[in-house]
Amino acid sequence: MTRYPLAYSAPAAAIPLLLQRLQRIVRLTEDETALVLGLANRRRYDAGEDMAPDEASRSPELIASGWGCRQRVLSDGRRQIFCFTLPGDFVGLSPRPLFGGLSSSTAVTPIQTLDATPLRDILDNGDPRYAGLRAACKVLTMRKQALLMEQVIRLGRLTAYERTAHLLLELRARLSEVGLTHGDRFPLPLTQETMADHLGLSIVHVNRTLQQLRRERMIELKSGWVTLLQPELLVSLTDFRFPALPRA
Amino acid sequence: MTRYPLAYSAPAAAIPLLLQRLQRIVRLTEDETALVLGLANRRRYDAGEDMAPDEASRSPELIASGWGCRQRVLSDGRRQIFCFTLPGDFVGLSPRPLFGGLSSSTAVTPIQTLDATPLRDILDNGDPRYAGLRAACKVLTMRKQALLMEQVIRLGRLTAYERTAHLLLELRARLSEVGLTHGDRFPLPLTQETMADHLGLSIVHVNRTLQQLRRERMIELKSGWVTLLQPELLVSLTDFRFPALPRA
DNA sequence: CGGGCTCTTGACACCCATCAAAGTTTGTGG
DNA sequence: CCACAAACTTTGATGGGTGTCAAGAGCCCG
């Protein structure tokens, strides 16, 4: 088993960071803040473990630490990863039993989750005390869809080089929202195989592409961390447009 | 200007067909049926016309006839089509000003729309009289997201041949829901360039792929109509899984 | 110290893009 | 109704980006 950097294996600091992101979308009341801070631990997942044991009746979860992904495995073994799930993201919050079976969630690194049932209750009943929190959760859900559209852009119209850079830019932006970046440096706990299955490429070609990015001094890559050396250049090269969260 | 078959240029029959689809998701009350039947015409779009003149303040619309698409054009001219918008689909129903500017809607054929403002009102206020209709609209919105995931599968892990077949299967399934198919035959008012921009391929390669599908007696293609000759075979070849609407 | 993963490298093949041009259909105007 | 123009489709030739196969190197962990 690989050892993972502290930055994404320490759940302690996770909740305040999520709160900070929610606060930036909508000013939260004391009640709302208290509710988020009161979310209980739910369970841990090992790297590679499937995250939806009982699809239908499962409770929604909030990632406190670790990375996951949503994916589908085709009948012949080909795998496509739709999106990565980062700390502060929800899993199973929107009622997905409708189109279930079309995708599954898996832990990429060890994951610690919180029980997000209170948040789903807020979404279901229209309790006016939590209107702000409800709105913020809806925004996060819509943003997830916007990110899926970015994924379509990557796969449909970008080259391997552009795809890879585009993904790194997205990860930087998302991790930055929850305070998990250090400037242009952030953890990247993905094997090249995992990246390949997200980017629609082969392992070998991901390897060569990363090497090219390093050779051209676009990135630095070392033991699970990556540094973007010329992020602005990559932004314009890949026509990167990030669906940033709206400010309150 | 291309001439388009009656099947998608005659708005008259559109609303009952949409109703039928909604009824299959949720049993609608008399009030709800009346509201849908009472939707007023909004406007026509010419083929190629942009459908979001005033992004922020625009009212939601329901496609009564014609095909559209949601797309993004990259700064260097590359175009990616996210999804096609068929009769019975909504445009601008979910409040998208948040992440606006990241995609735009365009008419692929001439389009006639209805004003869907009453439906948005239902989504916004929680009027219990329209609970069923509200639920049905939400299901349609979630299905749109599921279809986007199918698009990721196409682009990420299918070959050109599989992609093309996969798209045709999806179109058949969606058109069938609103009664616009005749068995395995349905209108396909897309140029090969449009298909290419959806499938992430070049025009030339779409052409060759369609020819291969014809040569192998998988499809028949003539003047804007396509027939799937061996749909079940294509389903298994492409591992096609359609996010069918749940039955009431 | 030895066994797995993961990363790296090279050789080779193939899918698909690009370029160019001819053929066909569709729409328009005389 | 015919003739022309524009858009779309088709075809061939060629090149490049990416996949596949195979083997070695590095790293982590028991």
Side-chain angles (χ1 to χ4, degrees), chain B residues 1-3 159-160 200-202 204-205 208:
Chain B
M1 186 71 62
T2 317
R3 192 164 63 247
T159 65
L201 300 169
S202 66
V204 172
H205 203 66
R208 293 192 220 274

Side-chain angles (χ1 to χ4, degrees), chain B residues 4-25:
Chain B
Y4 295 94
L6 269 183
Y8 44 89
S9 66
I15 308 168
L17 293 171
L18 166 64
L19 251 186
Q20 177 187 317
R21 176 165 70 162
L22 292 173
Q23 288 276 14
R24 236 179 274 163
I25 305 173

Side-chain angles (χ1 to χ4, degrees), chain A residues 70-84:
Chain A
R70 210 132 68 97
Q71 64 179 28
R72 180 187 306 173
V73 178
L74 301 188
S75 53
D76 64 354
R78 283 178 285 187
R79 178 172 76 146
Q80 178 63 50
I81 293 176
F82 297 110
C83 60
F84 292 112

Side-chain angles (χ1 to χ4, degrees), chain B:
Chain B
M1 186 71 62
T2 317
R3 192 164 63 247
Y4 295 94
L6 269 183
Y8 44 89
S9 66
I15 308 168
L17 293 171
L18 166 64
L19 251 186
Q20 177 187 317
R21 176 165 70 162
L22 292 173
Q23 288 276 14
R24 236 179 274 163
I25 305 173
V26 170
R27 267 259 154 286
L28 299 180
T29 65
E30 296 246 334
D31 276 358
E32 290 171 328
T33 306
L35 185 143
V36 173
L37 287 174
L39 292 179
N41 274 346
R42 181 154 187 282
R43 64 163 289 186
R44 295 187 61 82
Y45 296 92
D46 290 332
E49 191 175 348
D50 204 354
M51 288 184 72
D54 37 328
E55 177 80 29
S57 66
R58 65 191 293 270
S59 60
E61 298 176 65
L62 177 61
I63 310 271
S65 70
W67 289 30
C69 69
R70 212 131 70 96
Q71 65 179 26
R72 181 187 304 173
V73 179
L74 301 188
S75 53
D76 63 355
R78 282 178 286 187
R79 178 171 76 146
Q80 178 63 48
I81 293 177
F82 297 111
C83 61
F84 292 112
T85 315
L86 307 182
D89 288 339
F90 297 107
V91 175
L93 183 63
S94 48
R96 200 178 323 117
L98 287 175
F99 306 111
L102 296 178
S103 70
S104 64
S105 280
T106 298
V108 171
T109 71
I111 285 183
Q112 173 68 53
T113 67
L114 307 178
D115 187 345
T117 305
L119 288 172
R120 188 179 49 190
D121 292 343
I122 284 175
L123 285 174
D124 288 348
N125 68 49
D127 190 333
R129 284 183 302 163
Y130 298 106
L133 191 51
R134 180 166 46 247
C137 288
K138 284 184 181 172
V139 166
L140 285 178
T141 299
M142 289 183 55
R143 212 276 289 275
K144 205 160 70 178
Q145 179 154 7
L147 290 174
L148 200 55
M149 291 175 53
E150 297 306 310
Q151 165 75 331
V152 169
I153 292 287
R154 273 197 285 272
L155 295 173
R157 281 299 179 230
L158 299 191
T159 65
Y161 185 88
E162 294 167 332
R163 276 182 224 186
T164 308
H166 196 277
L167 171 62
L168 292 177
L169 289 169
E170 177 187 312
L171 292 174
R172 179 183 71 139
R174 291 174 62 193
L175 289 172
S176 167
E177 286 177 350
V178 286
L180 291 176
T181 55
H182 304 276
D184 291 323
R185 187 158 179 273
F186 56 90
L188 187 74
L190 308 176
T191 66
Q192 296 182 356
E193 177 172 17
T194 305
M195 294 185 69
D197 284 340
H198 178 84
L199 296 173
L201 300 169
S202 66
I203 299 181
V204 172
H205 203 66
V206 166
N207 182 280
R208 293 192 220 274
T209 303
L210 288 173
Q211 287 179 56
Q212 187 183 352
L213 282 163
R214 276 184 293 191
R215 201 181 324 122
E216 298 175 354
R217 305 293 307 151
M218 292 296 192
I219 68 172
E220 252 173 10
L221 206 49
K222 204 173 69 178
S223 63
W225 287 77
V226 62
T227 308
L228 304 190
L229 299 175
Q230 308 182 56
E232 291 317 314
L233 181 51
L234 291 179
V235 165
S236 64
L237 278 182
T238 62
D239 204 14
F240 178 72
R241 305 187 213 169
F242 184 65
L245 292 173
R247 314 281 305 213

